[in-house]
Amino acid sequence: LTGFKEGTLGGLENLVHLQLPYNQLESLPEDLGSLPSLRTLFANNNRIARLPERCDGLTSLEVLHLHNNCLGALTTGISSLCSLEVLWASYNSIVELPPGLEHCTSLTEIKLSHNALDDLREPDRGILKLPGLTRLHIHRNRLLEVPDRESLHQESGVADIGDLT
């Protein structure tokens, strides 16, 4: 699978799981945001370089797997995913986190290892204040300053921080 025709997802409002891993996708359909019942989206191991800007219709999305793609950024629309619990976006080229990600207060697990993040200052550091975050993996990035594991744990309350280098 290399792409989608326009309107491919139209009429699938009751779709709960969408699995698209191990294809040759370079992008996801623009009408992806029209799936209010979608709870899991597996789009890992593709060639996805960009995400649709409009995600606000994914009100039920809990699990988003985007690892092993070509993403340079996560769309700002991700910050509107109020039900999102798991975000895996490792093995991409992500340079910075989208503004507002700290508003995804249902997030419990974030995997961003093997990207190009060079900083965890504001606004990116806001993810450390997510109330339910229990697992954060940020190793193998370009962090100029690697946070001390103990202070990071105290600041965030995250139980599983993973390797930081």
Side-chain angles (χ1 to χ4, degrees):
L1 183 63
T2 58
F4 295 90
K5 291 181 181 175
E6 189 173 327
T8 300
L9 300 177
L12 298 175
E13 296 84 18
N14 296 320
L15 184 67
V16 176
H17 305 286
L18 181 57
Q19 297 196 18
L20 301 168
Y22 299 98
N23 284 292
Q24 304 298 314
L25 296 173
E26 294 180 6
S27 64
L28 293 171
E30 288 300 322
D31 58 347
L32 181 68
S34 65
L35 302 174
S37 299
L38 192 66
R39 293 180 58 201
T40 60
L41 172 58
F42 296 115
N44 51 291
N45 297 83
N46 280 286
R47 297 179 180 170
I48 299 170
R50 66 173 190 79
L51 297 172
E53 274 304 312
R54 301 259 351 227
C55 298
D56 52 345
L58 297 172
T59 54
S60 300
L61 191 66
E62 297 172 353
V63 178
L64 180 57
H65 284 200
L66 297 169
H67 51 287
N68 292 78
N69 276 294
C70 302
L71 293 168
L74 295 172
T75 178
T76 56
I78 283 186
S79 62
S80 67
L81 303 178
C82 57
S83 297
L84 190 63
E85 297 174 8
V86 175
L87 173 61
W88 286 11
S90 296
Y91 293 95
N92 280 287
S93 300
I94 299 169
V95 176
E96 63 183 359
L97 301 178
L101 190 60
E102 69 275 9
H103 300 299
C104 295
T105 55
S106 296
L107 272 168
T108 60
E109 182 176 334
I110 300 174
K111 291 189 177 183
L112 291 166
S113 59
H114 297 271
N115 275 292
L117 295 171
D118 63 4
D119 198 342
L120 267 187
R121 288 183 293 192
E122 297 300 337
D124 295 344
R125 203 166 181 87
I127 65 169
L128 300 176
K129 295 179 176 54
L130 287 167
L133 191 64
T134 58
R135 181 172 285 171
L136 175 65
H137 289 212
I138 55 172
H139 59 282
R140 301 284 187 205
N141 275 283
R142 298 178 182 164
L143 294 173
L144 300 174
E145 184 179 314
V146 179
D148 171 86
R149 178 182 302 279
E150 185 59 32
S151 64
L152 189 58
H153 175 69
Q154 288 176 351
E155 178 180 349
S156 65
V158 176
D160 180 2
I161 297 173
D163 188 9
L164 294 176
T165 58

